[in-house]
Amino acid sequence: MNDMNNILSSKAQISQYTHDTAEMPGSSVSTSHQAFEQLVSRAVQLPGQVPVGIVWPCEQHALEGAMDAAQRNIIEPVLIGDKGTITSVAQASGIALDKAVFIDAATPAEAAQKATALVREGRVKALMKGSLHTDIFMHAIVEADSGLRTNRRISHVFVLAVPGYEDLVFVTDAAINIFPDLDVKRDIVQNAIDLHNGLGLGAPRVAILSAVETVNSKIPGTVDAACLCKMAERGQIQGGVLDGPLAMDNAVSVEAAKIKNIVSPVAGRAQILVAPDLEAGNMLAKNMIFMSGADSAGIVLGASVPVLLTSRANSVQARLASIAIGALYAHHLAGGQG
């Protein structure tokens, strides 16, 4: 695939971050969702606080979410940035910093570089974006020599609590990979499955979405969907149950699946929705947030540690849910050790 199609292949591609997940607001119209509350409760019960690097938390929104999670004993916040600025923001906002560890950095870029170094040294188990630009933050993470890349493609998952839907819904990838090919889609699917299992939500039902539920050679996404399902049958994707192609209605509506005579353990009950490309995934996630009143949290997967992207527009509930998800998954990746 041409490098221009995949955002994380080089430094130049970081500037193609066409959708900044940190600017995606959490829903302001939906109430707190029980599923998110349960994740937060479980994070509170972890045996020991998870050390999380908060990169350049130099505005109130970036600082208060982390310190709220620290007060609840979910994380040990490692604040990476200009200490004087952070302290001033905290004083002006009435935020207590008694639980924080400081790593001084003069610029956002330096803070991002120091954050990745702390991961490599094992001092932090997750990273969270503060008030720096996403491209600066992500560049440090994906940098070939000093970043946090693994042999898995990096991808993003929106975790959505949709009113009226029984399960949490994962939407991927709506933020990073623009036109993923089949190999990238395999990693996108596996990343989401691993997160679902790692959060203790069980083996997920995964719908590979398209406009139709039949394979059509003129719609490449349907062919990729069929291939991904066969890859799962052959063990190339593990930990979840896949079906596709499925149209959106067949993926989440039992009645719609019945009308189309689709017999499947996934149809009508999907927990992970895999979009054919970034545009489709982005529109799907925004539709759920703005029109369905879904609460949202987000996480970047495929790096050596979970990476959290939050926004000044996120509600307190959304910020806390994102941090809880990051802490739970970091604990899982560390082997469940306290």
Side-chain angles (χ1 to χ4, degrees), residues 255-269:
E255 185 62 28
K258 287 180 179 178
I259 291 171
K260 289 291 185 69
N261 295 315
I262 299 174
V263 180
S264 161
V266 175
R269 304 169 60 238

Side-chain angles (χ1 to χ4, degrees), residues 6-91:
N6 287 300
I7 204 163
L8 296 174
S9 296
S10 67
K11 177 179 178 180
Q13 289 174 313
I14 298 299
S15 65
Q16 295 178 16
Y17 229 74
T18 58
H19 168 62
D20 184 347
T21 58
E23 297 306 319
M24 171 77 79
S27 170
S28 61
V29 297
S30 66
T31 57
S32 175
H33 192 285
Q34 184 179 3
F36 274 178
E37 292 176 348
Q38 290 173 347
L39 289 175
V40 172
S41 295
R42 286 179 48 220
V44 170
Q45 296 168 12
L46 288 173
Q49 296 170 292
V50 176
V52 177
I54 319 299
V55 184
W56 201 254
C58 294
E59 294 181 10
Q60 179 180 347
H61 75 92
L63 192 58
E64 64 184 353
M67 299 314 300
D68 183 25
Q71 292 298 328
R72 295 170 185 254
N73 293 318
I74 296 174
I75 66 168
E76 175 193 340
V78 179
L79 306 180
I80 309 164
D82 183 77
K83 185 174 181 178
T85 301
I86 295 171
T87 302
S88 295
V89 169
Q91 290 174 344

